[in-house]
Amino acid sequence: MVYPLKDKVALITGASSGIGLATARALAAQGAQLALTARLDTEYSKLVEEFSGRASIVAADLCEDGMVEKVVDDHLRTFGRIDVLVASAGMFHQGYVPDDDPEIWDRLIGLNVNSVFRTIRRVLPSMVAQQAGDIVALSSVSGHTAIHHEPVYSASKHAIQAFIHGLRRQVGQQNIRVGAVAPGIVLTKLTGYTDEEQIAEKVRLGEGVRAEDVADAITFMLSRPRHVTIRDMVLLPSNQPI
């Protein structure tokens, strides 16, 4: 038995590309109602074109003061509720700490950590009121195993892991399921992969996964029977040496 997602209102952040976009498509295929949020950039117009008439779409930079609250409140006014939150907005960064730029760290922590915490906090009262909800945060294998060439990114994902584990125990009694999906190398624009032939070869060699693979994992997590919570799902390319 699975938990049906048809007509559930799913808020997805970072929805204009990569895992967020793939998840929007996957949940739409399940019949979910989509509340999408993405930064106003070159990908945003494509998102609007694809989902025009099929989703509520709000442009927002979640690092701006008050923007998380505005986004969530706008979607709540549109739908009256949020049943599912997939917090996938984020950025990737590698760097050697002595030479790295702390301004980039501030942006990364603001998006990967603060905006996720604040978005979850804003949707929770409505989920508590309806005594039901699902929250999936995008983590990373580097949230389980610190990777030396991306220490700040790894730290941000360790923060996600700690938050998700603690939050699950706080709200589980309200029938709110909380979990994190932690992929390894995902072959998207975020990680520098745009050439489809290169992506296909990496997939063939087991050196990366597609955004659609992660979206499938998220859909699986959300569609489990209500008595089942998948707290952590680690999704690795078969040949990633971790």
Side-chain angles (χ1 to χ4, degrees), residues 147-233:
I147 298 176
H148 71 279
H149 51 261
E150 51 191 52
V152 179
Y153 181 78
S154 291
S156 75
K157 296 305 183 179
H158 273 73
I160 292 297
Q161 291 299 134
F163 184 75
I164 289 300
H165 291 182
L167 176 65
R168 182 188 67 84
R169 297 182 66 183
Q170 287 189 353
V171 301
Q173 291 299 316
Q174 280 76 48
N175 193 32
I176 299 169
R177 301 188 297 188
V178 181
V181 61
I185 298 170
V186 185
L187 304 167
T188 65
K189 182 179 178 181
L190 188 71
T191 51
Y193 293 93
T194 57
D195 181 79
E196 185 54 40
E197 289 187 3
Q198 182 188 26
I199 291 171
E201 181 64 7
K202 286 282 189 182
V203 169
R204 187 186 71 80
L205 295 173
E207 296 177 353
V209 300
R210 298 180 186 271
E212 289 77 10
D213 297 321
V214 184
D216 285 346
I218 292 170
T219 304
F220 177 82
M221 293 170 72
L222 294 171
S223 62
R224 294 309 87 206
R226 291 305 305 177
H227 68 282
V228 176
T229 294
I230 298 178
R231 189 193 69 175
D232 293 292
M233 180 176 283

Side-chain angles (χ1 to χ4, degrees), residues 11-13 19 23 27 83-89 116 119-120 123 127 133-139 160 164 167 176-183 214-215 217-223 229-233:
L11 169 55
I12 303 171
T13 66
I19 294 169
T23 301
L27 296 189
D83 302 305
V84 174
L85 169 63
V86 179
S88 65
V116 175
T119 304
I120 290 172
V123 303
M127 289 184 174
D134 281 281
I135 295 169
V136 177
L138 185 63
S139 182
I160 292 297
I164 289 300
L167 176 65
I176 299 169
R177 301 188 297 188
V178 181
V181 61
V214 184
I218 292 170
T219 304
F220 177 82
M221 293 170 72
L222 294 171
S223 62
T229 294
I230 298 178
R231 189 193 69 175
D232 293 292
M233 180 176 283

